[in-house]
DNA sequence: GCGGGCCTTCATT
DNA sequence: AATGAAGGCCCGC
């Protein structure tokens, strides 16, 4: 499998997002030095190679809105809450 | 709520 | 190599 540089950057950053925290597509784009590629970030996450090990559900839209999420039946919000609970338990 | 713009990948030609 | 389409988006009006 081959990943483009862009994909690698995105994935690397996404993997650094702490448990229970979220980032917006825009922030991810900014973090990888491509301030206007927020849309492309969505594209990558959409068909990334590791849907199950990449916390794509921690990436939401600006303004607190949830984006689409096709890898699970439950919403991102549920996942975030779940992660918060996990964090509490581990605390 | 609608419309236009941005960036990358993929499929065709 | 070039062109066109699509996409989990964002901002301004």
């Amino acid at each position: 499998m081959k990943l483009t540089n862009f994909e690698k950057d995105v994935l690397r950053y996404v993997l650094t997002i702490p448990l229970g925290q979220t980032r917006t597509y825009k922030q991810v784009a900014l973090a990888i030095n491509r301030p206007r590629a927020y849309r492309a970030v969505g594209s990558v996450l959409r068909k990334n190679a590791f849907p199950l090990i990449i916390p794509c559900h921690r990436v939401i839209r600006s303004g607190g809105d949830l984006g689409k999420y096709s890898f699970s039946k439950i919403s991102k919000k549920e996942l975030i809450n779940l992660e918060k609970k996990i964090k509490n338990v581990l605390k």
Side-chain angles (χ1 to χ4, degrees):
Chain A
M1 80 178 327
K2 61 182 194 314
L3 295 174
T4 66
N5 294 321
F6 179 70
E7 287 174 325
K8 284 193 274 187
D9 287 337
V10 172
L11 298 185
R12 266 200 317 246
Y13 181 74
V14 171
L15 282 173
T16 69
I17 303 176
L19 183 68
Q21 293 203 7
T22 61
R23 292 284 145 25
T24 67
Y25 289 95
K26 195 179 180 181
Q27 286 182 8
V28 174
L30 285 171
I32 62 178
N33 284 322
R34 283 177 177 68
R36 323 248 143 28
Y38 38 75
R39 195 146 183 216
V41 172
S43 291
V44 174
L45 261 45
R46 176 181 173 264
K47 52 201 209 57
N48 81 67
F50 315 102
L52 298 178
I53 70 169
I54 304 282
C56 5
H57 52 275
R58 294 188 193 148
V59 184
I60 62 180
R61 295 218 248 171
S62 302
D65 292 331
L66 301 171
K68 272 196 180 175
Y69 186 55
S70 347
F71 295 120
S72 169
K73 308 138 203 84
I74 62 185
S75 71
K76 286 180 181 177
K77 196 174 180 184
E78 298 299 328
L79 288 168
I80 304 303
N81 277 328
L82 181 62
E83 293 191 347
K84 282 181 182 172
K85 287 180 183 176
I86 294 174
K87 208 171 74 173
N88 260 330
V89 170
L90 295 181
K91 191 162 41 177

